[in-house]
Amino acid sequence: MRLSDITNYLESIAPLNYQEDYDNSGLIVGDPNMDITAALVALDCVEKIVDEAISTGCNLIITHHPIVFKGLKKLNGKNYVERVILKAIKNNVALYAIHTNLDAVHTGVNAKICDKLGLSGIKVLSPKSGLLKKLVTFCPQAQAEQLRSALFYAGAGNIGNYSEVSFNGDGFGTFKADENAAPFVGEKGMRHHEPEIRIEVIYPIQTERKILVALFENHPYEEVAYDLFNLENKHQQVGSGMVGWLEYDMDAYDFLHMVKDKMQAKVVRYTSVLPKRIKKVAVCGGSGSFLLKEAIAAGADAFITADFKYHEFFDAEEKLIIADIGHFETEQFTSNLLVEIIQKKFTNFAIRLTEQNTNPINYLF
């Protein structure tokens, strides 16, 4: 199997344009055309992970965290990042990261946390804007259904749980073809009035090329009239964090113990326990303090995340319970998620879950 077959599939699940500006998701080391024999999945790409890949015959490592966040000016092995890159290149091992783009999708890291905690009715906590565009085009009535179907097949018209969504309005267009034209309808040199359908569809920006190809290949006119609009609408299935509901409301201490158990956390750092039961819960894998205001605004009774600083705990202001369970602990099941995603598509592909614990933090009890 080619490396690009795997990476293209992963990017169809979590497109690279969904990642944060500071991130470095995608193919870090490797030729997209190289043959992949087996893949190793881990949370972090450190030296012992590369050693494990080599010893198990895996020539692709897929991790959540990118090994390279900042630009490399030299490769001389002076730190673990450079040593990992050098060892991967020397042993022809490809490195691929799927980080904040996997955090952002509604079936990604935060959905996995929600599943572990038994939350239902889950929604993205802070949806992103700037990810959607609208196509407006005008088509003769007789060919409108074929064009709509082609646009839907190319990825347009999906909104939440609905597909094949479009708006259509009747009107007429006018044009006059010159002597060099090949008009689909009308006569050269004569103004023509044609009954047309105005078709409007929304699409995610990363599918624009496919949408336009479908438009040009299925529209009958020699010159296709169309408009593209950038939308500020929030993409309700893409963004940061998630919020959902427990099956039953819980005593706060029982809830915290449940979180510690389900998430296999060594320690839970939490704010004051409030005199109310826990029912609505917000979560964010990794560093989630930037979402505290959104969690409060959503009416969450508790917010499960990591990497809160001392003074940031005061910001809860007794409106909810912050439960910081650790960065590794919130994301440790991401590796299992990636294995599930890949096996669903490539059922006969050799993929291994690492046997290494890459958490750099130890706890003294």
Side-chain angles (χ1 to χ4, degrees), residues 220-248:
Y221 285 175
E222 183 179 24
E223 297 290 346
V224 179
Y226 68 98
D227 300 311
L228 301 177
F229 297 94
N230 292 315
L231 301 179
E232 290 302 315
N233 305 48
K234 293 184 181 295
H235 196 315
Q236 296 299 320
Q237 293 186 308
V238 180
S240 301
M242 294 197 106
V243 62
W245 301 84
L246 294 167
E247 184 177 2
Y248 304 104

PDB file of all heavy atoms in Angstrom, residues 220-248:
ATOM      1  N   PRO A 220     -24.333  22.492 -18.695  1.00  0.00           N
ATOM      2  CA  PRO A 220     -24.395  22.402 -20.154  1.00  0.00           C
ATOM      3  C   PRO A 220     -23.831  23.625 -20.890  1.00  0.00           C
ATOM      4  O   PRO A 220     -23.505  23.524 -22.079  1.00  0.00           O
ATOM      5  CB  PRO A 220     -25.893  22.254 -20.431  1.00  0.00           C
ATOM      6  CG  PRO A 220     -26.558  22.958 -19.289  1.00  0.00           C
ATOM      7  CD  PRO A 220     -25.680  22.675 -18.098  1.00  0.00           C
ATOM      8  N   TYR A 221     -23.703  24.764 -20.215  1.00  0.00           N
ATOM      9  CA  TYR A 221     -23.297  25.980 -20.909  1.00  0.00           C
ATOM     10  C   TYR A 221     -21.808  25.992 -21.219  1.00  0.00           C
ATOM     11  O   TYR A 221     -20.988  25.462 -20.469  1.00  0.00           O
ATOM     12  CB  TYR A 221     -23.628  27.214 -20.073  1.00  0.00           C
ATOM     13  CG  TYR A 221     -25.098  27.593 -20.049  1.00  0.00           C
ATOM     14  CD1 TYR A 221     -25.545  28.631 -19.233  1.00  0.00           C
ATOM     15  CD2 TYR A 221     -26.032  26.926 -20.824  1.00  0.00           C
ATOM     16  CE1 TYR A 221     -26.881  28.993 -19.195  1.00  0.00           C
ATOM     17  CE2 TYR A 221     -27.369  27.275 -20.790  1.00  0.00           C
ATOM     18  CZ  TYR A 221     -27.791  28.302 -19.976  1.00  0.00           C
ATOM     19  OH  TYR A 221     -29.114  28.655 -19.941  1.00  0.00           O
ATOM     20  N   GLU A 222     -21.478  26.647 -22.315  1.00  0.00           N
ATOM     21  CA  GLU A 222     -20.077  26.848 -22.690  1.00  0.00           C
ATOM     22  C   GLU A 222     -19.383  27.771 -21.687  1.00  0.00           C
ATOM     23  O   GLU A 222     -18.234  27.542 -21.301  1.00  0.00           O
ATOM     24  CB  GLU A 222     -20.020  27.460 -24.101  1.00  0.00           C
ATOM     25  CG  GLU A 222     -18.624  27.658 -24.630  1.00  0.00           C
ATOM     26  CD  GLU A 222     -18.635  28.246 -26.041  1.00  0.00           C
ATOM     27  OE1 GLU A 222     -19.635  28.905 -26.413  1.00  0.00           O
ATOM     28  OE2 GLU A 222     -17.650  28.044 -26.759  1.00  0.00           O
ATOM     29  N   GLU A 223     -20.071  28.817 -21.246  1.00  0.00           N
ATOM     30  CA  GLU A 223     -19.568  29.725 -20.217  1.00  0.00           C
ATOM     31  C   GLU A 223     -20.485  29.582 -18.999  1.00  0.00           C
ATOM     32  O   GLU A 223     -21.665  29.913 -19.060  1.00  0.00           O
ATOM     33  CB  GLU A 223     -19.562  31.179 -20.711  1.00  0.00           C
ATOM     34  CG  GLU A 223     -18.652  31.432 -21.897  1.00  0.00           C
ATOM     35  CD  GLU A 223     -17.185  31.348 -21.525  1.00  0.00           C
ATOM     36  OE1 GLU A 223     -16.868  31.359 -20.317  1.00  0.00           O
ATOM     37  OE2 GLU A 223     -16.352  31.269 -22.450  1.00  0.00           O
ATOM     38  N   VAL A 224     -19.924  29.071 -17.918  1.00  0.00           N
ATOM     39  CA  VAL A 224     -20.728  28.797 -16.727  1.00  0.00           C
ATOM     40  C   VAL A 224     -20.758  30.037 -15.833  1.00  0.00           C
ATOM     41  O   VAL A 224     -19.707  30.584 -15.469  1.00  0.00           O
ATOM     42  CB  VAL A 224     -20.148  27.605 -15.934  1.00  0.00           C
ATOM     43  CG1 VAL A 224     -20.992  27.338 -14.684  1.00  0.00           C
ATOM     44  CG2 VAL A 224     -20.088  26.359 -16.817  1.00  0.00           C
ATOM     45  N   ALA A 225     -21.947  30.477 -15.494  1.00  0.00           N
ATOM     46  CA  ALA A 225     -22.100  31.594 -14.557  1.00  0.00           C
ATOM     47  C   ALA A 225     -22.184  31.030 -13.139  1.00  0.00           C
ATOM     48  O   ALA A 225     -23.022  30.160 -12.856  1.00  0.00           O
ATOM     49  CB  ALA A 225     -23.359  32.387 -14.887  1.00  0.00           C
ATOM     50  N   TYR A 226     -21.303  31.506 -12.266  1.00  0.00           N
ATOM     51  CA  TYR A 226     -21.345  31.048 -10.880  1.00  0.00           C
ATOM     52  C   TYR A 226     -20.700  32.097  -9.982  1.00  0.00           C
ATOM     53  O   TYR A 226     -19.902  32.924 -10.420  1.00  0.00           O
ATOM     54  CB  TYR A 226     -20.616  29.703 -10.734  1.00  0.00           C
ATOM     55  CG  TYR A 226     -19.128  29.756 -10.937  1.00  0.00           C
ATOM     56  CD1 TYR A 226     -18.252  29.821  -9.851  1.00  0.00           C
ATOM     57  CD2 TYR A 226     -18.575  29.739 -12.215  1.00  0.00           C
ATOM     58  CE1 TYR A 226     -16.882  29.869 -10.031  1.00  0.00           C
ATOM     59  CE2 TYR A 226     -17.201  29.785 -12.414  1.00  0.00           C
ATOM     60  CZ  TYR A 226     -16.361  29.842 -11.307  1.00  0.00           C
ATOM     61  OH  TYR A 226     -15.004  29.905 -11.488  1.00  0.00           O
ATOM     62  N   ASP A 227     -21.055  32.062  -8.695  1.00  0.00           N
ATOM     63  CA  ASP A 227     -20.486  32.954  -7.685  1.00  0.00           C
ATOM     64  C   ASP A 227     -20.028  32.104  -6.506  1.00  0.00           C
ATOM     65  O   ASP A 227     -20.686  31.110  -6.142  1.00  0.00           O
ATOM     66  CB  ASP A 227     -21.529  33.962  -7.182  1.00  0.00           C
ATOM     67  CG  ASP A 227     -22.069  34.846  -8.293  1.00  0.00           C
ATOM     68  OD1 ASP A 227     -21.241  35.386  -9.045  1.00  0.00           O
ATOM     69  OD2 ASP A 227     -23.299  34.973  -8.406  1.00  0.00           O
ATOM     70  N   LEU A 228     -18.922  32.498  -5.881  1.00  0.00           N
ATOM     71  CA  LEU A 228     -18.411  31.850  -4.683  1.00  0.00           C
ATOM     72  C   LEU A 228     -18.413  32.863  -3.551  1.00  0.00           C
ATOM     73  O   LEU A 228     -17.934  33.980  -3.709  1.00  0.00           O
ATOM     74  CB  LEU A 228     -16.992  31.317  -4.904  1.00  0.00           C
ATOM     75  CG  LEU A 228     -16.807  30.297  -6.029  1.00  0.00           C
ATOM     76  CD1 LEU A 228     -15.328  29.916  -6.158  1.00  0.00           C
ATOM     77  CD2 LEU A 228     -17.644  29.050  -5.780  1.00  0.00           C
ATOM     78  N   PHE A 229     -18.936  32.459  -2.387  1.00  0.00           N
ATOM     79  CA  PHE A 229     -19.026  33.352  -1.241  1.00  0.00           C
ATOM     80  C   PHE A 229     -18.332  32.721  -0.031  1.00  0.00           C
ATOM     81  O   PHE A 229     -18.556  31.538   0.273  1.00  0.00           O
ATOM     82  CB  PHE A 229     -20.489  33.618  -0.876  1.00  0.00           C
ATOM     83  CG  PHE A 229     -21.280  34.315  -1.944  1.00  0.00           C
ATOM     84  CD1 PHE A 229     -22.020  33.575  -2.867  1.00  0.00           C
ATOM     85  CD2 PHE A 229     -21.280  35.690  -2.046  1.00  0.00           C
ATOM     86  CE1 PHE A 229     -22.760  34.203  -3.854  1.00  0.00           C
ATOM     87  CE2 PHE A 229     -22.013  36.333  -3.032  1.00  0.00           C
ATOM     88  CZ  PHE A 229     -22.753  35.590  -3.947  1.00  0.00           C
ATOM     89  N   ASN A 230     -17.515  33.507   0.649  1.00  0.00           N
ATOM     90  CA  ASN A 230     -16.969  33.080   1.931  1.00  0.00           C
ATOM     91  C   ASN A 230     -18.037  33.285   3.000  1.00  0.00           C
ATOM     92  O   ASN A 230     -18.688  34.329   3.045  1.00  0.00           O
ATOM     93  CB  ASN A 230     -15.720  33.903   2.289  1.00  0.00           C
ATOM     94  CG  ASN A 230     -14.562  33.616   1.361  1.00  0.00           C
ATOM     95  OD1 ASN A 230     -14.272  32.466   1.055  1.00  0.00           O
ATOM     96  ND2 ASN A 230     -13.891  34.669   0.904  1.00  0.00           N
ATOM     97  N   LEU A 231     -18.199  32.298   3.871  1.00  0.00           N
ATOM     98  CA  LEU A 231     -19.218  32.376   4.917  1.00  0.00           C
ATOM     99  C   LEU A 231     -18.579  32.499   6.292  1.00  0.00           C
ATOM    100  O   LEU A 231     -17.544  31.887   6.557  1.00  0.00           O
ATOM    101  CB  LEU A 231     -20.102  31.117   4.892  1.00  0.00           C
ATOM    102  CG  LEU A 231     -20.844  30.830   3.578  1.00  0.00           C
ATOM    103  CD1 LEU A 231     -21.658  29.545   3.716  1.00  0.00           C
ATOM    104  CD2 LEU A 231     -21.742  31.995   3.196  1.00  0.00           C
ATOM    105  N   GLU A 232     -19.197  33.257   7.156  1.00  0.00           N
ATOM    106  CA  GLU A 232     -18.750  33.367   8.542  1.00  0.00           C
ATOM    107  C   GLU A 232     -19.506  32.405   9.449  1.00  0.00           C
ATOM    108  O   GLU A 232     -19.264  32.368  10.652  1.00  0.00           O
ATOM    109  CB  GLU A 232     -18.919  34.809   9.038  1.00  0.00           C
ATOM    110  CG  GLU A 232     -17.939  35.794   8.401  1.00  0.00           C
ATOM    111  CD  GLU A 232     -16.491  35.397   8.644  1.00  0.00           C
ATOM    112  OE1 GLU A 232     -16.156  35.034   9.789  1.00  0.00           O
ATOM    113  OE2 GLU A 232     -15.704  35.428   7.672  1.00  0.00           O
ATOM    114  N   ASN A 233     -20.425  31.648   8.879  1.00  0.00           N
ATOM    115  CA  ASN A 233     -21.150  30.659   9.669  1.00  0.00           C
ATOM    116  C   ASN A 233     -20.182  29.728  10.381  1.00  0.00           C
ATOM    117  O   ASN A 233     -19.176  29.306   9.810  1.00  0.00           O
ATOM    118  CB  ASN A 233     -22.058  29.809   8.766  1.00  0.00           C
ATOM    119  CG  ASN A 233     -23.008  30.644   7.936  1.00  0.00           C
ATOM    120  OD1 ASN A 233     -22.603  31.605   7.305  1.00  0.00           O
ATOM    121  ND2 ASN A 233     -24.262  30.259   7.923  1.00  0.00           N
ATOM    122  N   LYS A 234     -20.505  29.353  11.605  1.00  0.00           N
ATOM    123  CA  LYS A 234     -19.697  28.385  12.323  1.00  0.00           C
ATOM    124  C   LYS A 234     -20.019  26.984  11.824  1.00  0.00           C
ATOM    125  O   LYS A 234     -21.175  26.644  11.604  1.00  0.00           O
ATOM    126  CB  LYS A 234     -19.935  28.492  13.829  1.00  0.00           C
ATOM    127  CG  LYS A 234     -19.422  29.800  14.437  1.00  0.00           C
ATOM    128  CD  LYS A 234     -19.602  29.818  15.932  1.00  0.00           C
ATOM    129  CE  LYS A 234     -19.118  31.131  16.530  1.00  0.00           C
ATOM    130  NZ  LYS A 234     -17.672  31.330  16.360  1.00  0.00           N
ATOM    131  N   HIS A 235     -18.963  26.187  11.655  1.00  0.00           N
ATOM    132  CA  HIS A 235     -19.128  24.788  11.255  1.00  0.00           C
ATOM    133  C   HIS A 235     -19.437  23.997  12.518  1.00  0.00           C
ATOM    134  O   HIS A 235     -18.563  23.752  13.347  1.00  0.00           O
ATOM    135  CB  HIS A 235     -17.844  24.283  10.597  1.00  0.00           C
ATOM    136  CG  HIS A 235     -18.019  23.021   9.818  1.00  0.00           C
ATOM    137  ND1 HIS A 235     -18.740  21.937  10.289  1.00  0.00           N
ATOM    138  CD2 HIS A 235     -17.555  22.641   8.593  1.00  0.00           C
ATOM    139  CE1 HIS A 235     -18.712  20.966   9.394  1.00  0.00           C
ATOM    140  NE2 HIS A 235     -18.020  21.370   8.362  1.00  0.00           N
ATOM    141  N   GLN A 236     -20.685  23.580  12.681  1.00  0.00           N
ATOM    142  CA  GLN A 236     -21.132  23.007  13.941  1.00  0.00           C
ATOM    143  C   GLN A 236     -20.498  21.651  14.253  1.00  0.00           C
ATOM    144  O   GLN A 236     -20.583  21.171  15.395  1.00  0.00           O
ATOM    145  CB  GLN A 236     -22.660  22.866  13.939  1.00  0.00           C
ATOM    146  CG  GLN A 236     -23.388  24.190  13.855  1.00  0.00           C
ATOM    147  CD  GLN A 236     -23.083  25.111  15.026  1.00  0.00           C
ATOM    148  OE1 GLN A 236     -22.976  24.668  16.174  1.00  0.00           O
ATOM    149  NE2 GLN A 236     -22.935  26.398  14.748  1.00  0.00           N
ATOM    150  N   GLN A 237     -19.837  21.029  13.287  1.00  0.00           N
ATOM    151  CA  GLN A 237     -19.215  19.728  13.528  1.00  0.00           C
ATOM    152  C   GLN A 237     -17.692  19.804  13.560  1.00  0.00           C
ATOM    153  O   GLN A 237     -17.026  18.767  13.587  1.00  0.00           O
ATOM    154  CB  GLN A 237     -19.670  18.727  12.466  1.00  0.00           C
ATOM    155  CG  GLN A 237     -21.155  18.385  12.578  1.00  0.00           C
ATOM    156  CD  GLN A 237     -21.565  17.289  11.623  1.00  0.00           C
ATOM    157  OE1 GLN A 237     -21.302  17.357  10.423  1.00  0.00           O
ATOM    158  NE2 GLN A 237     -22.207  16.266  12.146  1.00  0.00           N
ATOM    159  N   VAL A 238     -17.158  21.008  13.576  1.00  0.00           N
ATOM    160  CA  VAL A 238     -15.704  21.200  13.621  1.00  0.00           C
ATOM    161  C   VAL A 238     -15.395  22.290  14.631  1.00  0.00           C
ATOM    162  O   VAL A 238     -15.978  23.373  14.569  1.00  0.00           O
ATOM    163  CB  VAL A 238     -15.131  21.596  12.243  1.00  0.00           C
ATOM    164  CG1 VAL A 238     -13.620  21.790  12.334  1.00  0.00           C
ATOM    165  CG2 VAL A 238     -15.465  20.540  11.196  1.00  0.00           C
ATOM    166  N   GLY A 239     -14.470  22.012  15.538  1.00  0.00           N
ATOM    167  CA  GLY A 239     -14.102  23.031  16.512  1.00  0.00           C
ATOM    168  C   GLY A 239     -13.393  22.437  17.712  1.00  0.00           C
ATOM    169  O   GLY A 239     -12.917  21.301  17.674  1.00  0.00           O
ATOM    170  N   SER A 240     -13.349  23.182  18.785  1.00  0.00           N
ATOM    171  CA  SER A 240     -12.583  22.811  19.976  1.00  0.00           C
ATOM    172  C   SER A 240     -13.508  22.315  21.082  1.00  0.00           C
ATOM    173  O   SER A 240     -14.540  22.928  21.368  1.00  0.00           O
ATOM    174  CB  SER A 240     -11.792  24.012  20.489  1.00  0.00           C
ATOM    175  OG  SER A 240     -10.903  24.492  19.507  1.00  0.00           O
ATOM    176  N   GLY A 241     -13.103  21.221  21.724  1.00  0.00           N
ATOM    177  CA  GLY A 241     -13.843  20.693  22.862  1.00  0.00           C
ATOM    178  C   GLY A 241     -15.187  20.113  22.475  1.00  0.00           C
ATOM    179  O   GLY A 241     -15.651  20.225  21.332  1.00  0.00           O
ATOM    180  N   MET A 242     -15.819  19.465  23.458  1.00  0.00           N
ATOM    181  CA  MET A 242     -17.172  18.944  23.266  1.00  0.00           C
ATOM    182  C   MET A 242     -17.920  19.067  24.574  1.00  0.00           C
ATOM    183  O   MET A 242     -17.325  19.206  25.659  1.00  0.00           O
ATOM    184  CB  MET A 242     -17.160  17.483  22.800  1.00  0.00           C
ATOM    185  CG  MET A 242     -16.572  17.270  21.427  1.00  0.00           C
ATOM    186  SD  MET A 242     -17.009  15.674  20.696  1.00  0.00           S
ATOM    187  CE  MET A 242     -18.199  16.188  19.473  1.00  0.00           C
ATOM    188  N   VAL A 243     -19.229  19.000  24.483  1.00  0.00           N
ATOM    189  CA  VAL A 243     -20.075  19.032  25.672  1.00  0.00           C
ATOM    190  C   VAL A 243     -21.197  18.024  25.492  1.00  0.00           C
ATOM    191  O   VAL A 243     -21.715  17.842  24.383  1.00  0.00           O
ATOM    192  CB  VAL A 243     -20.627  20.458  25.915  1.00  0.00           C
ATOM    193  CG1 VAL A 243     -21.502  20.913  24.749  1.00  0.00           C
ATOM    194  CG2 VAL A 243     -21.358  20.562  27.239  1.00  0.00           C
ATOM    195  N   GLY A 244     -21.536  17.344  26.566  1.00  0.00           N
ATOM    196  CA  GLY A 244     -22.583  16.336  26.489  1.00  0.00           C
ATOM    197  C   GLY A 244     -23.167  16.055  27.864  1.00  0.00           C
ATOM    198  O   GLY A 244     -22.841  16.724  28.850  1.00  0.00           O
ATOM    199  N   TRP A 245     -24.005  15.029  27.934  1.00  0.00           N
ATOM    200  CA  TRP A 245     -24.789  14.756  29.139  1.00  0.00           C
ATOM    201  C   TRP A 245     -24.490  13.362  29.680  1.00  0.00           C
ATOM    202  O   TRP A 245     -24.404  12.393  28.924  1.00  0.00           O
ATOM    203  CB  TRP A 245     -26.276  14.857  28.826  1.00  0.00           C
ATOM    204  CG  TRP A 245     -26.702  16.187  28.298  1.00  0.00           C
ATOM    205  CD1 TRP A 245     -26.645  16.614  26.996  1.00  0.00           C
ATOM    206  CD2 TRP A 245     -27.232  17.274  29.042  1.00  0.00           C
ATOM    207  NE1 TRP A 245     -27.102  17.893  26.885  1.00  0.00           N
ATOM    208  CE2 TRP A 245     -27.483  18.334  28.123  1.00  0.00           C
ATOM    209  CE3 TRP A 245     -27.537  17.464  30.396  1.00  0.00           C
ATOM    210  CZ2 TRP A 245     -28.020  19.552  28.511  1.00  0.00           C
ATOM    211  CZ3 TRP A 245     -28.073  18.678  30.783  1.00  0.00           C
ATOM    212  CH2 TRP A 245     -28.303  19.703  29.844  1.00  0.00           C
ATOM    213  N   LEU A 246     -24.358  13.278  31.003  1.00  0.00           N
ATOM    214  CA  LEU A 246     -24.308  11.981  31.665  1.00  0.00           C
ATOM    215  C   LEU A 246     -25.687  11.333  31.605  1.00  0.00           C
ATOM    216  O   LEU A 246     -26.711  12.020  31.532  1.00  0.00           O
ATOM    217  CB  LEU A 246     -23.897  12.138  33.126  1.00  0.00           C
ATOM    218  CG  LEU A 246     -22.472  12.633  33.399  1.00  0.00           C
ATOM    219  CD1 LEU A 246     -22.341  13.032  34.859  1.00  0.00           C
ATOM    220  CD2 LEU A 246     -21.457  11.561  33.043  1.00  0.00           C
ATOM    221  N   GLU A 247     -25.707  10.009  31.671  1.00  0.00           N
ATOM    222  CA  GLU A 247     -27.006   9.325  31.656  1.00  0.00           C
ATOM    223  C   GLU A 247     -27.822   9.696  32.889  1.00  0.00           C
ATOM    224  O   GLU A 247     -29.037   9.894  32.809  1.00  0.00           O
ATOM    225  CB  GLU A 247     -26.798   7.808  31.596  1.00  0.00           C
ATOM    226  CG  GLU A 247     -28.086   7.028  31.488  1.00  0.00           C
ATOM    227  CD  GLU A 247     -27.866   5.537  31.353  1.00  0.00           C
ATOM    228  OE1 GLU A 247     -26.690   5.101  31.387  1.00  0.00           O
ATOM    229  OE2 GLU A 247     -28.870   4.801  31.220  1.00  0.00           O
ATOM    230  N   TYR A 248     -27.142   9.784  34.039  1.00  0.00           N
ATOM    231  CA  TYR A 248     -27.801  10.181  35.281  1.00  0.00           C
ATOM    232  C   TYR A 248     -26.948  11.250  35.952  1.00  0.00           C
ATOM    233  O   TYR A 248     -25.725  11.243  35.845  1.00  0.00           O
ATOM    234  CB  TYR A 248     -27.943   8.992  36.241  1.00  0.00           C
ATOM    235  CG  TYR A 248     -28.662   7.804  35.653  1.00  0.00           C
ATOM    236  CD1 TYR A 248     -27.962   6.677  35.247  1.00  0.00           C
ATOM    237  CD2 TYR A 248     -30.049   7.824  35.504  1.00  0.00           C
ATOM    238  CE1 TYR A 248     -28.618   5.584  34.708  1.00  0.00           C
ATOM    239  CE2 TYR A 248     -30.712   6.734  34.959  1.00  0.00           C
ATOM    240  CZ  TYR A 248     -29.996   5.615  34.563  1.00  0.00           C
ATOM    241  OH  TYR A 248     -30.648   4.551  34.024  1.00  0.00           O
TER     242      TYR A 248
END
